[in-house]
Amino acid sequence: MKRLRALPRWFTRRIGYARLLCLALLIGFAVLRAADPAPVEEIRVRTFDTFQRIDPRKKAIRPVTIVDIDDKSLEKLGQWPWPRTRIAELVTELTRLGALVIAFDAVFSEPDRLNPAFVADTFRNLDEETRARLRALPSNDQVFADAIKASRVVLGESGLPEEIAALDKTLPVTGIAMLGEEPQRFMVDFPGLLRNVPVLEHAAAGRGLFTIKPERDGIVRRVPMIMQAQGQTMPSLTFEMLRVASGSGTILIKAEPGGIKSIGIKGIQIPTDRNGLLWVHYARNDASIYVPAVNVLEKNVAPDMIAGKLVLIGTSAVGLNDIKTTPVSRAMPGVEIHAQVLESALTGAVISQPIFGIAVEFATALLFGLLVIAFAPQFGPVTLVVLGAAFASMLIGLSAYFYVYNRLLIDFTYPLMSTTAIYLTLIFSSFVREQAQRKQIRSAFAQYMSPALVEQLAHAPEKLVLGGEDREMTIMFSDVRGFTTISETYKHDPQGLTALMNQFLTPLTNAILARKGYIDKYMGDAIMAFWNAPLDDKNHQINACEAAIDMLERIDELNRSRKQKALDDGHAFIPINVGIGLNTGTCTVGNMGSDIKFNYSVLGDSVNLASRLEGQSKEYGFPIIVGSSTALAVKDRFAILELDFIMVKGKTEPEVIYAIAGRDDVAQSGRFQRLRNLTIEMLSCYRNRDWDGALAAIARGRKTDEANALELLYNLYEARIRSYLDNPPPEDWNGAFALLTK
């Protein structure tokens, strides 16, 4: 009995609760890897991204050509979409030059708006004879279909997040054969499917989905080769091109109980992951495979660029918004991703994540975890560091070896994290006293400094000195429009004015803090804030834009309650309107002031520009105006509208500025798309000195339902154009407008 009571003490002395906790951690990490939640997967794929950046695919041949609807083509031939007759000419010329297969990274889901019959019915002041002659002409869609039928063309289709209409069962589909398990339950599934107009679908040699879904962090690593869309099994655009090129009639899908294994046609077998996704083995951006579409139409292209090639027709124009982020590039046109898939498949340069890779990860984590638990407490810190570095180097080296020589993706982050966590747990007790000291610092300074600075000071007391550091940050300035008018109504009630300021500054502050912002200072009714300091925020541009929209929403809510209160009290109601300027750039941030008193603040040219942008929000009629760096970083998450190319006072370089009109739901709306198209057309004419064209675009815009949203912008540009008509800008004018005020 006495021995039994002594057993816990012996166990504690010989084994220790820390080692027991480490064993639990070892098991916990194994369970975590098996569950594979989003953060674990992201760490793993980021590692694979690094391999691709270090050792991208080398191009031995170039079997693919991209016919690019680029800015040059749009400038010469007009905005997209072009008339179908022009696209038919493009197909005919590519066919004449010997293109093997032609595919469109676009969908023609509606009849051409310039079909002769439509023109006859909608254009005014046409005589009946002309209308009759127009109606007798073949439709542009039929002309395009005839060109498609005379070639080997694969039409692009798009998967949609929701079903839009019942599928037309009479339209042709690609034949699918299956070997093994039923694969549909593993595939990427789109609720809706957007197809081309029937006359084009019937004429095409093939059809496939060009939809590319970035992963959770916005990077395109894997592209589906086979998908479900509105209950229909569909190949990708690229694989359908391979099928048409090979003359195969059917696509074969091989599946096992764990998922899809491969997808194949005659002569080509492509390994995929369990969901039918291909890990794209990227090469770096290759400008040599691009041919401007206008060059093809003008017959100004080398024949060997087209003859015998798989030809993709797509766009790299920024205004058409088909730019993706990949492991090797932050700005790769979506059509080039399709080209990369084709090149990988045709050259056999594919990468894959083998099934045995997970077993290797588990075995490595178990072996080294047990070794650390058993022997780490017996070694000194220098020995542990050396052994740890050797262990990490070995794991990284093995993983790199499998990638470089076998093109296999073996993850080293899981065993490395598991072993590191166990080691840190074993030495945790040595930091107890240090943690107590940090707690004392927090308690002493929490009443005088911001929580973020207190946390930094607790970890690094040496930061309580003058100085700063350079880092990329997003800066915000906000101000209340017409606050002088509002404050005049409180000239006999200063306490009421103070209460009103607190009433609107509180929700604005909460919106900023909720999105990880730091309040630099209050300047009366204005707020200055910044992101990515003192704490790192990799999404600082997105968080700043989210905060700006939240601020407007909270002010709207405040105005509604104030209006109701004013009505109840019988007082006049003056709404509070806020203007916001955002800009991203390198700034100096740190403790600034004197040896006696200093504040944590930020300085730099980017800060000044953010202040200038806030001041311009009332001129352009949009409450949120951002600089180009911010807009480029958030363009996939928000409704971004280009406003101007300006030279602000005190700066020597012009800046493109944008408005944020809302989140992604607004960006996808038809109303915003019309706003953007109207603005793009007007700006294009303006910057090309086509004053009449710009005025005509403004006049057309004012007749639309969206005219109110752009009225101030139209007034601004109309005044400029009238001035330029009298006093034209110099020959070297680049479209920039110099602001005369801050």
Side-chain angles (χ1 to χ4, degrees):
M1 192 70 180
K2 187 176 180 180
R3 289 183 178 180
L4 289 176
R5 285 195 299 267
L7 185 60
R9 291 194 299 272
W10 176 88
F11 184 83
T12 303
R13 188 171 61 253
R14 298 290 295 178
I15 304 297
Y17 290 116
R19 282 186 166 125
L20 271 183
L21 180 58
C22 289
L23 288 172
L25 274 175
L26 188 61
I27 297 171
F29 268 93
V31 172
L32 187 67
R33 177 61 184 89
D36 202 24
V40 173
E41 182 187 23
E42 183 166 345
I43 293 172
R44 181 169 65 256
V45 295
R46 291 279 184 173
T47 303
F48 298 156
D49 291 349
T50 303
F51 288 160
Q52 292 229 49
R53 285 192 293 271
I54 294 173
D55 184 28
R57 177 171 55 84
K58 307 299 188 297
K59 289 193 176 187
I61 59 173
R62 286 172 171 78
V64 182
T65 293
I66 296 173
V67 174
D68 190 10
I69 303 168
D70 58 354
D71 291 317
K72 171 186 172 183
S73 300
L74 294 175
E75 182 179 351
K76 284 195 173 185
L77 302 177
Q79 69 182 37
W80 180 265
W82 293 334
R84 304 280 160 83
T85 49
R86 179 170 292 159
I87 304 174
E89 294 173 11
L90 187 64
V91 171
T92 301
E93 179 61 16
L94 291 172
T95 305
R96 185 188 70 79
L97 290 171
L100 183 62
V101 176
I102 303 168
F104 284 91
D105 184 23
V107 61
F108 305 98
S109 59
E110 297 177 350
D112 191 350
R113 67 183 187 281
L114 295 180
N115 278 329
F118 179 76
V119 172
D121 293 336
T122 55
F123 277 29
R124 300 177 181 177
N125 302 322
L126 291 179
D127 58 81
E128 286 304 319
E129 180 182 354
T130 301
R131 293 183 192 276
R133 291 173 64 188
L134 284 171
R135 293 189 182 101
L137 293 174
S139 72
N140 292 358
D141 294 309
Q142 185 60 56
V143 173
F144 186 24
D146 292 341
I148 290 173
K149 194 177 297 183
S151 183
R152 292 203 291 183
V153 173
V154 176
L155 291 177
E157 298 179 350
S158 178
L160 299 176
E162 58 184 24
E163 184 175 341
I164 57 173
L167 286 179
D168 185 349
K169 300 297 185 182
T170 65
L171 295 181
V173 293
T174 300
I176 304 291
M178 305 170 195
L179 181 63
E181 295 290 318
E182 190 74 17
Q184 280 83 355
R185 61 193 176 97
F186 302 107
M187 296 178 186
V188 174
D189 192 355
F190 295 100
L193 175 61
L194 186 64
R195 304 197 70 173
N196 299 273
V197 293
V199 65
L200 302 181
E201 291 276 351
H202 285 292
R207 55 220 49 85
L209 293 187
F210 57 74
T211 308
I212 296 175
K213 290 181 65 174
E215 300 192 27
R216 280 181 285 257
D217 57 1
I219 298 176
V220 178
R221 300 181 180 90
R222 289 169 283 195
V223 174
M225 292 288 98
I226 196 77
M227 294 154 270
Q228 285 285 104
Q230 203 163 328
Q232 179 72 50
T233 302
M234 300 288 296
S236 66
L237 180 71
T238 50
F239 201 81
E240 183 72 346
M241 291 179 70
L242 296 174
R243 184 193 68 81
V244 172
S246 68
S248 300
T250 302
I251 293 174
L252 176 64
I253 305 171
K254 293 182 179 180
E256 298 175 342
I260 298 172
K261 183 179 179 183
S262 66
I263 175 172
I265 53 174
K266 181 173 61 178
I268 298 178
Q269 195 80 15
I270 297 179
T272 68
D273 71 4
R274 66 187 302 271
N275 300 118
L277 301 172
L278 171 70
W279 283 90
V280 184
H281 190 189
Y282 283 103
R284 301 203 185 280
N285 292 70
D286 185 3
S288 69
I289 66 173
Y290 284 83
V291 174
V294 66
N295 288 10
V296 177
L297 290 170
E298 293 176 350
K299 297 180 170 53
N300 183 26
V301 58
D304 61 352
M305 284 294 295
I306 306 298
K309 298 292 182 70
L310 298 173
V311 177
L312 282 159
I313 301 177
T315 180
S316 67
V318 175
L320 296 181
N321 199 29
D322 189 29
I323 304 300
K324 309 293 184 184
T325 302
T326 70
V328 299
S329 171
R330 297 183 63 183
M332 181 177 287
V335 66
E336 187 171 345
I337 294 178
H338 296 309
Q340 299 255 9
V341 172
L342 288 170
E343 290 172 350
S344 296
L346 290 171
T347 59
V350 297
I351 55 178
S352 61
Q353 191 174 14
I355 295 176
F356 69 80
I358 296 179
V360 172
E361 295 171 29
F362 278 115
T364 305
L366 178 63
L367 174 62
F368 283 93
L370 292 175
L371 288 174
V372 170
I373 292 171
F375 299 110
Q378 302 175 21
F379 294 117
V382 175
T383 304
L384 283 176
V385 169
V386 172
L387 291 176
F391 166 67
S393 300
M394 184 191 71
L395 287 179
I396 296 170
L398 283 174
S399 186
Y401 172 83
F402 279 115
Y403 172 78
V404 172
Y405 294 100
N406 303 101
R407 297 307 176 193
L408 298 176
L409 299 174
I410 306 293
D411 178 36
F412 68 84
T413 58
Y414 156 58
L416 187 60
M417 286 190 300
S418 173
T419 306
T420 302
I422 290 169
Y423 167 70
L424 292 176
T425 300
L426 287 172
I427 64 172
F428 176 75
S429 59
S430 65
F431 293 99
V432 172
R433 184 174 299 175
E434 182 181 348
Q435 290 299 318
Q437 181 185 17
R438 291 178 181 177
K439 186 176 181 180
Q440 285 183 333
I441 293 175
R442 292 189 186 100
S443 176
F445 289 93
Q447 301 177 52
Y448 309 105
M449 304 177 70
S450 71
L453 278 177
V454 171
E455 194 64 26
Q456 277 206 345
L457 187 59
H459 286 81
E462 68 275 7
K463 290 193 174 183
L464 195 61
V465 295
L466 289 175
E469 61 174 325
D470 292 340
R471 65 194 305 172
E472 184 185 66
M473 301 173 63
T474 299
I475 314 299
M476 170 190 284
F477 281 86
S478 75
D479 194 12
V480 174
R481 298 282 170 251
F483 188 72
T484 302
T485 303
I486 296 174
S487 60
E488 284 180 353
T489 64
Y490 289 88
K491 59 184 176 181
H492 300 301
D493 183 15
Q495 291 184 347
L497 180 60
T498 301
L500 176 63
M501 289 186 64
N502 293 336
Q503 193 177 10
F504 69 75
L505 286 176
T506 297
L508 296 184
T509 299
N510 291 339
I512 293 169
L513 296 180
R515 297 290 184 177
K516 301 181 180 180
Y518 178 82
I519 304 292
D520 185 293
K521 60 178 69 72
Y522 298 99
M523 299 161 286
D525 58 305
I527 300 176
M528 176 183 172
F530 52 77
W531 278 259
N532 202 29
L535 304 179
D536 293 338
D537 180 5
K538 65 179 180 179
N539 296 318
H540 54 95
Q541 302 98 329
I542 294 174
N543 286 329
C545 294
E546 288 283 4
I549 295 174
D550 288 347
M551 291 165 71
L552 297 183
E553 292 172 347
R554 296 186 189 209
I555 285 297
D556 287 342
E557 184 178 345
L558 175 62
N559 279 331
R560 285 193 293 271
S561 63
R562 289 181 60 246
K563 183 177 182 180
Q564 184 60 49
K565 188 176 186 303
L567 291 174
D568 294 341
D569 296 343
H571 297 155
F573 169 67
I574 302 177
I576 295 174
N577 296 307
V578 175
I580 299 171
L582 291 171
N583 188 46
T584 300
T586 301
C587 308
T588 300
V589 62
N591 298 314
M592 300 176 190
S594 69
D595 291 334
I596 301 172
K597 180 178 176 61
F598 50 82
N599 292 319
Y600 191 79
S601 189
V602 62
L603 293 173
D605 189 56
S606 298
V607 180
N608 301 331
L609 180 56
S611 177
R612 305 291 189 271
L613 295 180
E614 177 273 315
Q616 293 301 313
S617 60
K618 58 187 175 183
E619 303 295 332
Y620 292 92
F622 288 91
I624 305 175
I625 296 185
V626 303
S628 57
S629 296
T630 309
L632 181 63
V634 304
K635 61 184 175 62
D636 294 329
R637 296 283 294 271
F638 297 92
I640 304 295
L641 187 70
E642 184 177 348
L643 296 179
D644 209 347
F645 188 44
I646 62 172
M647 178 83 74
V648 301
K649 192 172 183 179
K651 281 180 63 68
T652 58
E653 294 293 330
E655 176 85 9
V656 180
I657 63 172
Y658 300 80
I660 293 185
R663 297 185 174 89
D664 187 59
D665 57 331
V666 175
Q668 302 302 324
S669 67
R671 180 178 184 276
F672 177 75
Q673 296 294 331
R674 290 190 293 272
L675 279 175
R676 190 180 67 176
N677 291 337
L678 289 169
T679 307
I680 290 173
E681 180 181 359
M682 185 266 291
L683 290 176
S684 176
C685 294
Y686 172 79
R687 290 169 184 168
N688 286 288
R689 302 170 181 258
D690 181 5
W691 312 126
D692 292 336
L695 291 173
I698 291 173
R700 287 196 300 275
R702 283 180 167 148
K703 296 177 183 179
T704 66
D705 295 338
E706 291 72 42
N708 290 338
L710 295 175
E711 184 59 28
L712 288 180
L713 187 67
Y714 285 155
N715 291 343
L716 183 149
Y717 274 97
E718 190 172 35
R720 287 187 197 171
I721 293 169
R722 300 295 182 195
S723 174
Y724 285 146
L725 287 172
D726 295 332
N727 299 290
E731 291 298 323
D732 60 349
W733 182 66
N734 60 1
F737 184 82
L739 298 179
L740 300 179
T741 61
K742 294 184 179 181

